[in-house]
Amino acid sequence: MADIRTLESTANGSIKKITLKTDKKYFKDILFRKSGFKKCIQCGRCTASCPAAYLYADYRPRDLMRRFMLGDIYTEELNELIWKCGQCYSCRARCPRNCKAGLGVLALQTLAVLEGNVPPEISDISKKIKRNLYLKGETFLPSTQDIDLLTEFGEQTYHRCRDNNLKRERLGFRSDDARNVPVPEESLREIREILKRTGFGGL
Ligand code: SF4
Ligand code: SF4
């Protein structure tokens, strides 16, 4: 039986009802099934369109689908690999069989979170994203693009982002804002409420 948490809307009705199911079996069964791995014909179009496969030589959604088919999903190596997926769903858009490799990966990521088995560098990134969201209502602020975070995406990305930050400074933008127009206060309050009610808490 899944642990189901339902969130009510706030007094002014600004938050819609959200239902969370946090049971491990729920994520494994439902998300794996929805990934459609049983229909995969190993054509490789997902891998050709996957930005993570472009960045990381050892990450290939087609191989993951094969592993899902074989039930080969409980290895240390795979627990490292799954965090390379950015959940962009280019794989879904390109698949001739309407499979969603990213959903199978999401099932494994969710299981890892529920089991407290998340690599420290991923926890660090998620803490930064949560802090940015809480303070500014945005996930990825220029001021948090430090070397540890960016080198994870490769040297090329690091230099491109560093150069972008220098250009921003020259143009007079603040380094702690990702864009020129700040998130409105009311939206910020809603974001903080959602973080609180979904268990992410404050800062
Ligand atoms: S594009 Fe679809 S069918 Fe082709 S390998 Fe990827 S998941 Fe399988
Ligand atoms: S969702 Fe993940 S596996 Fe699919 S294309 Fe995006 S990064 Fe690749």
PDB file of all heavy atoms in Angstrom, residues 59-81:
ATOM      1  N   TYR A  59      27.183   7.280 -20.605  1.00  0.00           N
ATOM      2  CA  TYR A  59      25.725   7.338 -20.373  1.00  0.00           C
ATOM      3  C   TYR A  59      24.963   7.167 -21.686  1.00  0.00           C
ATOM      4  O   TYR A  59      25.073   8.001 -22.589  1.00  0.00           O
ATOM      5  CB  TYR A  59      25.333   8.677 -19.724  1.00  0.00           C
ATOM      6  CG  TYR A  59      23.865   8.712 -19.379  1.00  0.00           C
ATOM      7  CD1 TYR A  59      23.410   8.189 -18.180  1.00  0.00           C
ATOM      8  CD2 TYR A  59      22.924   9.217 -20.274  1.00  0.00           C
ATOM      9  CE1 TYR A  59      22.058   8.173 -17.877  1.00  0.00           C
ATOM     10  CE2 TYR A  59      21.580   9.202 -19.984  1.00  0.00           C
ATOM     11  CZ  TYR A  59      21.152   8.678 -18.784  1.00  0.00           C
ATOM     12  OH  TYR A  59      19.818   8.643 -18.490  1.00  0.00           O
ATOM     13  N   ARG A  60      24.189   6.086 -21.793  1.00  0.00           N
ATOM     14  CA  ARG A  60      23.423   5.826 -23.018  1.00  0.00           C
ATOM     15  C   ARG A  60      22.039   5.300 -22.661  1.00  0.00           C
ATOM     16  O   ARG A  60      21.924   4.169 -22.153  1.00  0.00           O
ATOM     17  CB  ARG A  60      24.149   4.787 -23.892  1.00  0.00           C
ATOM     18  CG  ARG A  60      25.433   5.314 -24.518  1.00  0.00           C
ATOM     19  CD  ARG A  60      26.166   4.245 -25.290  1.00  0.00           C
ATOM     20  NE  ARG A  60      26.695   3.221 -24.406  1.00  0.00           N
ATOM     21  CZ  ARG A  60      27.896   3.253 -23.838  1.00  0.00           C
ATOM     22  NH1 ARG A  60      28.715   4.245 -24.085  1.00  0.00           N
ATOM     23  NH2 ARG A  60      28.282   2.294 -23.037  1.00  0.00           N
ATOM     24  N   PRO A  61      20.967   6.094 -22.888  1.00  0.00           N
ATOM     25  CA  PRO A  61      19.628   5.612 -22.542  1.00  0.00           C
ATOM     26  C   PRO A  61      19.268   4.287 -23.203  1.00  0.00           C
ATOM     27  O   PRO A  61      18.552   3.481 -22.625  1.00  0.00           O
ATOM     28  CB  PRO A  61      18.697   6.744 -22.989  1.00  0.00           C
ATOM     29  CG  PRO A  61      19.536   7.777 -23.636  1.00  0.00           C
ATOM     30  CD  PRO A  61      20.966   7.488 -23.362  1.00  0.00           C
ATOM     31  N   ARG A  62      19.762   4.051 -24.410  1.00  0.00           N
ATOM     32  CA  ARG A  62      19.466   2.765 -25.058  1.00  0.00           C
ATOM     33  C   ARG A  62      19.995   1.603 -24.199  1.00  0.00           C
ATOM     34  O   ARG A  62      19.300   0.609 -23.979  1.00  0.00           O
ATOM     35  CB  ARG A  62      20.113   2.700 -26.447  1.00  0.00           C
ATOM     36  CG  ARG A  62      19.858   1.372 -27.151  1.00  0.00           C
ATOM     37  CD  ARG A  62      20.528   1.324 -28.492  1.00  0.00           C
ATOM     38  NE  ARG A  62      21.967   1.322 -28.365  1.00  0.00           N
ATOM     39  CZ  ARG A  62      22.776   0.426 -28.918  1.00  0.00           C
ATOM     40  NH1 ARG A  62      22.283  -0.529 -29.658  1.00  0.00           N
ATOM     41  NH2 ARG A  62      24.067   0.504 -28.759  1.00  0.00           N
ATOM     42  N   ASP A  63      21.220   1.742 -23.675  1.00  0.00           N
ATOM     43  CA  ASP A  63      21.775   0.683 -22.821  1.00  0.00           C
ATOM     44  C   ASP A  63      20.957   0.529 -21.540  1.00  0.00           C
ATOM     45  O   ASP A  63      20.773  -0.582 -21.041  1.00  0.00           O
ATOM     46  CB  ASP A  63      23.235   1.001 -22.439  1.00  0.00           C
ATOM     47  CG  ASP A  63      24.168   0.841 -23.618  1.00  0.00           C
ATOM     48  OD1 ASP A  63      23.699   0.352 -24.674  1.00  0.00           O
ATOM     49  OD2 ASP A  63      25.345   1.200 -23.483  1.00  0.00           O
ATOM     50  N   LEU A  64      20.480   1.671 -21.024  1.00  0.00           N
ATOM     51  CA  LEU A  64      19.661   1.590 -19.799  1.00  0.00           C
ATOM     52  C   LEU A  64      18.390   0.797 -20.068  1.00  0.00           C
ATOM     53  O   LEU A  64      17.983  -0.035 -19.251  1.00  0.00           O
ATOM     54  CB  LEU A  64      19.311   2.994 -19.294  1.00  0.00           C
ATOM     55  CG  LEU A  64      20.488   3.817 -18.745  1.00  0.00           C
ATOM     56  CD1 LEU A  64      20.014   5.195 -18.330  1.00  0.00           C
ATOM     57  CD2 LEU A  64      21.137   3.113 -17.559  1.00  0.00           C
ATOM     58  N   MET A  65      17.753   1.059 -21.230  1.00  0.00           N
ATOM     59  CA  MET A  65      16.532   0.326 -21.559  1.00  0.00           C
ATOM     60  C   MET A  65      16.816  -1.179 -21.649  1.00  0.00           C
ATOM     61  O   MET A  65      16.022  -2.001 -21.216  1.00  0.00           O
ATOM     62  CB  MET A  65      15.932   0.839 -22.872  1.00  0.00           C
ATOM     63  CG  MET A  65      15.384   2.252 -22.786  1.00  0.00           C
ATOM     64  SD  MET A  65      14.111   2.422 -21.527  1.00  0.00           S
ATOM     65  CE  MET A  65      12.632   2.422 -22.532  1.00  0.00           C
ATOM     66  N   ARG A  66      17.968  -1.524 -22.190  1.00  0.00           N
ATOM     67  CA  ARG A  66      18.337  -2.950 -22.271  1.00  0.00           C
ATOM     68  C   ARG A  66      18.506  -3.533 -20.866  1.00  0.00           C
ATOM     69  O   ARG A  66      18.034  -4.623 -20.564  1.00  0.00           O
ATOM     70  CB  ARG A  66      19.641  -3.103 -23.072  1.00  0.00           C
ATOM     71  CG  ARG A  66      20.072  -4.548 -23.308  1.00  0.00           C
ATOM     72  CD  ARG A  66      21.369  -4.606 -24.090  1.00  0.00           C
ATOM     73  NE  ARG A  66      22.441  -3.833 -23.471  1.00  0.00           N
ATOM     74  CZ  ARG A  66      23.187  -4.245 -22.449  1.00  0.00           C
ATOM     75  NH1 ARG A  66      23.017  -5.451 -21.965  1.00  0.00           N
ATOM     76  NH2 ARG A  66      24.114  -3.467 -21.934  1.00  0.00           N
ATOM     77  N   ARG A  67      19.120  -2.742 -19.987  1.00  0.00           N
ATOM     78  CA  ARG A  67      19.300  -3.219 -18.611  1.00  0.00           C
ATOM     79  C   ARG A  67      17.956  -3.371 -17.910  1.00  0.00           C
ATOM     80  O   ARG A  67      17.750  -4.305 -17.138  1.00  0.00           O
ATOM     81  CB  ARG A  67      20.189  -2.247 -17.830  1.00  0.00           C
ATOM     82  CG  ARG A  67      21.617  -2.266 -18.301  1.00  0.00           C
ATOM     83  CD  ARG A  67      22.442  -1.246 -17.586  1.00  0.00           C
ATOM     84  NE  ARG A  67      22.875  -1.747 -16.301  1.00  0.00           N
ATOM     85  CZ  ARG A  67      24.064  -1.471 -15.769  1.00  0.00           C
ATOM     86  NH1 ARG A  67      24.912  -0.709 -16.420  1.00  0.00           N
ATOM     87  NH2 ARG A  67      24.393  -1.952 -14.597  1.00  0.00           N
ATOM     88  N   PHE A  68      17.024  -2.429 -18.176  1.00  0.00           N
ATOM     89  CA  PHE A  68      15.694  -2.551 -17.567  1.00  0.00           C
ATOM     90  C   PHE A  68      15.033  -3.845 -18.030  1.00  0.00           C
ATOM     91  O   PHE A  68      14.392  -4.554 -17.251  1.00  0.00           O
ATOM     92  CB  PHE A  68      14.795  -1.367 -17.940  1.00  0.00           C
ATOM     93  CG  PHE A  68      15.293  -0.023 -17.457  1.00  0.00           C
ATOM     94  CD1 PHE A  68      14.799   1.162 -18.003  1.00  0.00           C
ATOM     95  CD2 PHE A  68      16.260   0.074 -16.465  1.00  0.00           C
ATOM     96  CE1 PHE A  68      15.256   2.397 -17.576  1.00  0.00           C
ATOM     97  CE2 PHE A  68      16.730   1.309 -16.028  1.00  0.00           C
ATOM     98  CZ  PHE A  68      16.227   2.466 -16.589  1.00  0.00           C
ATOM     99  N   MET A  69      15.187  -4.168 -19.342  1.00  0.00           N
ATOM    100  CA  MET A  69      14.591  -5.397 -19.896  1.00  0.00           C
ATOM    101  C   MET A  69      15.144  -6.627 -19.190  1.00  0.00           C
ATOM    102  O   MET A  69      14.426  -7.588 -18.932  1.00  0.00           O
ATOM    103  CB  MET A  69      14.907  -5.526 -21.391  1.00  0.00           C
ATOM    104  CG  MET A  69      14.027  -4.711 -22.285  1.00  0.00           C
ATOM    105  SD  MET A  69      14.439  -5.138 -24.002  1.00  0.00           S
ATOM    106  CE  MET A  69      14.852  -3.567 -24.640  1.00  0.00           C
ATOM    107  N   LEU A  70      16.444  -6.579 -18.902  1.00  0.00           N
ATOM    108  CA  LEU A  70      17.097  -7.743 -18.290  1.00  0.00           C
ATOM    109  C   LEU A  70      16.956  -7.755 -16.764  1.00  0.00           C
ATOM    110  O   LEU A  70      17.379  -8.700 -16.102  1.00  0.00           O
ATOM    111  CB  LEU A  70      18.591  -7.745 -18.649  1.00  0.00           C
ATOM    112  CG  LEU A  70      18.914  -7.845 -20.148  1.00  0.00           C
ATOM    113  CD1 LEU A  70      20.405  -7.643 -20.398  1.00  0.00           C
ATOM    114  CD2 LEU A  70      18.479  -9.212 -20.687  1.00  0.00           C
ATOM    115  N   GLY A  71      16.383  -6.662 -16.208  1.00  0.00           N
ATOM    116  CA  GLY A  71      16.249  -6.578 -14.747  1.00  0.00           C
ATOM    117  C   GLY A  71      17.587  -6.318 -14.072  1.00  0.00           C
ATOM    118  O   GLY A  71      17.750  -6.526 -12.865  1.00  0.00           O
ATOM    119  N   ASP A  72      18.555  -5.825 -14.839  1.00  0.00           N
ATOM    120  CA  ASP A  72      19.913  -5.611 -14.325  1.00  0.00           C
ATOM    121  C   ASP A  72      20.036  -4.186 -13.776  1.00  0.00           C
ATOM    122  O   ASP A  72      20.684  -3.338 -14.369  1.00  0.00           O
ATOM    123  CB  ASP A  72      20.884  -5.836 -15.511  1.00  0.00           C
ATOM    124  CG  ASP A  72      22.324  -5.569 -15.125  1.00  0.00           C
ATOM    125  OD1 ASP A  72      22.648  -5.661 -13.933  1.00  0.00           O
ATOM    126  OD2 ASP A  72      23.125  -5.251 -16.033  1.00  0.00           O
ATOM    127  N   ILE A  73      19.362  -3.920 -12.652  1.00  0.00           N
ATOM    128  CA  ILE A  73      19.261  -2.523 -12.214  1.00  0.00           C
ATOM    129  C   ILE A  73      19.825  -2.263 -10.817  1.00  0.00           C
ATOM    130  O   ILE A  73      19.793  -1.133 -10.339  1.00  0.00           O
ATOM    131  CB  ILE A  73      17.798  -2.023 -12.246  1.00  0.00           C
ATOM    132  CG1 ILE A  73      16.903  -2.952 -11.438  1.00  0.00           C
ATOM    133  CG2 ILE A  73      17.296  -1.859 -13.662  1.00  0.00           C
ATOM    134  CD1 ILE A  73      15.507  -2.409 -11.233  1.00  0.00           C
ATOM    135  N   TYR A  74      20.342  -3.276 -10.157  1.00  0.00           N
ATOM    136  CA  TYR A  74      20.815  -3.043  -8.789  1.00  0.00           C
ATOM    137  C   TYR A  74      22.328  -3.125  -8.708  1.00  0.00           C
ATOM    138  O   TYR A  74      22.896  -4.016  -8.089  1.00  0.00           O
ATOM    139  CB  TYR A  74      20.163  -4.035  -7.816  1.00  0.00           C
ATOM    140  CG  TYR A  74      18.679  -3.826  -7.729  1.00  0.00           C
ATOM    141  CD1 TYR A  74      17.804  -4.736  -8.299  1.00  0.00           C
ATOM    142  CD2 TYR A  74      18.149  -2.689  -7.114  1.00  0.00           C
ATOM    143  CE1 TYR A  74      16.434  -4.523  -8.238  1.00  0.00           C
ATOM    144  CE2 TYR A  74      16.789  -2.469  -7.058  1.00  0.00           C
ATOM    145  CZ  TYR A  74      15.941  -3.384  -7.619  1.00  0.00           C
ATOM    146  OH  TYR A  74      14.593  -3.172  -7.579  1.00  0.00           O
ATOM    147  N   THR A  75      23.011  -2.212  -9.401  1.00  0.00           N
ATOM    148  CA  THR A  75      24.474  -2.223  -9.335  1.00  0.00           C
ATOM    149  C   THR A  75      24.974  -0.846  -8.912  1.00  0.00           C
ATOM    150  O   THR A  75      24.294   0.164  -9.103  1.00  0.00           O
ATOM    151  CB  THR A  75      25.097  -2.542 -10.713  1.00  0.00           C
ATOM    152  OG1 THR A  75      24.780  -1.457 -11.605  1.00  0.00           O
ATOM    153  CG2 THR A  75      24.564  -3.829 -11.302  1.00  0.00           C
ATOM    154  N   GLU A  76      26.150  -0.817  -8.319  1.00  0.00           N
ATOM    155  CA  GLU A  76      26.746   0.442  -7.861  1.00  0.00           C
ATOM    156  C   GLU A  76      26.989   1.377  -9.057  1.00  0.00           C
ATOM    157  O   GLU A  76      26.747   2.567  -8.991  1.00  0.00           O
ATOM    158  CB  GLU A  76      28.078   0.128  -7.195  1.00  0.00           C
ATOM    159  CG  GLU A  76      28.372   1.035  -6.011  1.00  0.00           C
ATOM    160  CD  GLU A  76      29.547   0.509  -5.231  1.00  0.00           C
ATOM    161  OE1 GLU A  76      29.404  -0.544  -4.561  1.00  0.00           O
ATOM    162  OE2 GLU A  76      30.591   1.144  -5.330  1.00  0.00           O
ATOM    163  N   GLU A  77      27.440   0.770 -10.156  1.00  0.00           N
ATOM    164  CA  GLU A  77      27.752   1.548 -11.363  1.00  0.00           C
ATOM    165  C   GLU A  77      26.494   2.280 -11.855  1.00  0.00           C
ATOM    166  O   GLU A  77      26.536   3.458 -12.218  1.00  0.00           O
ATOM    167  CB  GLU A  77      28.273   0.584 -12.437  1.00  0.00           C
ATOM    168  CG  GLU A  77      28.510   1.214 -13.779  1.00  0.00           C
ATOM    169  CD  GLU A  77      28.155   0.257 -14.913  1.00  0.00           C
ATOM    170  OE1 GLU A  77      27.784  -0.899 -14.636  1.00  0.00           O
ATOM    171  OE2 GLU A  77      28.212   0.701 -16.069  1.00  0.00           O
ATOM    172  N   LEU A  78      25.365   1.593 -11.826  1.00  0.00           N
ATOM    173  CA  LEU A  78      24.123   2.205 -12.312  1.00  0.00           C
ATOM    174  C   LEU A  78      23.691   3.354 -11.396  1.00  0.00           C
ATOM    175  O   LEU A  78      23.172   4.367 -11.842  1.00  0.00           O
ATOM    176  CB  LEU A  78      23.013   1.145 -12.410  1.00  0.00           C
ATOM    177  CG  LEU A  78      21.813   1.556 -13.238  1.00  0.00           C
ATOM    178  CD1 LEU A  78      22.215   1.901 -14.663  1.00  0.00           C
ATOM    179  CD2 LEU A  78      20.772   0.455 -13.255  1.00  0.00           C
ATOM    180  N   ASN A  79      23.942   3.199 -10.098  1.00  0.00           N
ATOM    181  CA  ASN A  79      23.573   4.263  -9.163  1.00  0.00           C
ATOM    182  C   ASN A  79      24.377   5.540  -9.415  1.00  0.00           C
ATOM    183  O   ASN A  79      23.944   6.631  -9.076  1.00  0.00           O
ATOM    184  CB  ASN A  79      23.737   3.790  -7.713  1.00  0.00           C
ATOM    185  CG  ASN A  79      22.980   4.702  -6.759  1.00  0.00           C
ATOM    186  OD1 ASN A  79      21.898   5.183  -7.085  1.00  0.00           O
ATOM    187  ND2 ASN A  79      23.560   4.973  -5.616  1.00  0.00           N
ATOM    188  N   GLU A  80      25.545   5.398 -10.021  1.00  0.00           N
ATOM    189  CA  GLU A  80      26.322   6.581 -10.426  1.00  0.00           C
ATOM    190  C   GLU A  80      25.745   7.159 -11.716  1.00  0.00           C
ATOM    191  O   GLU A  80      25.557   8.363 -11.842  1.00  0.00           O
ATOM    192  CB  GLU A  80      27.778   6.177 -10.716  1.00  0.00           C
ATOM    193  CG  GLU A  80      28.526   5.610  -9.545  1.00  0.00           C
ATOM    194  CD  GLU A  80      29.243   6.684  -8.776  1.00  0.00           C
ATOM    195  OE1 GLU A  80      29.912   7.497  -9.414  1.00  0.00           O
ATOM    196  OE2 GLU A  80      29.101   6.714  -7.535  1.00  0.00           O
ATOM    197  N   LEU A  81      25.434   6.259 -12.660  1.00  0.00           N
ATOM    198  CA  LEU A  81      25.001   6.685 -13.993  1.00  0.00           C
ATOM    199  C   LEU A  81      23.689   7.478 -13.986  1.00  0.00           C
ATOM    200  O   LEU A  81      23.537   8.445 -14.722  1.00  0.00           O
ATOM    201  CB  LEU A  81      24.806   5.455 -14.896  1.00  0.00           C
ATOM    202  CG  LEU A  81      26.013   4.885 -15.622  1.00  0.00           C
ATOM    203  CD1 LEU A  81      25.577   3.706 -16.477  1.00  0.00           C
ATOM    204  CD2 LEU A  81      26.679   5.947 -16.482  1.00  0.00           C
TER     205      LEU A  81
END
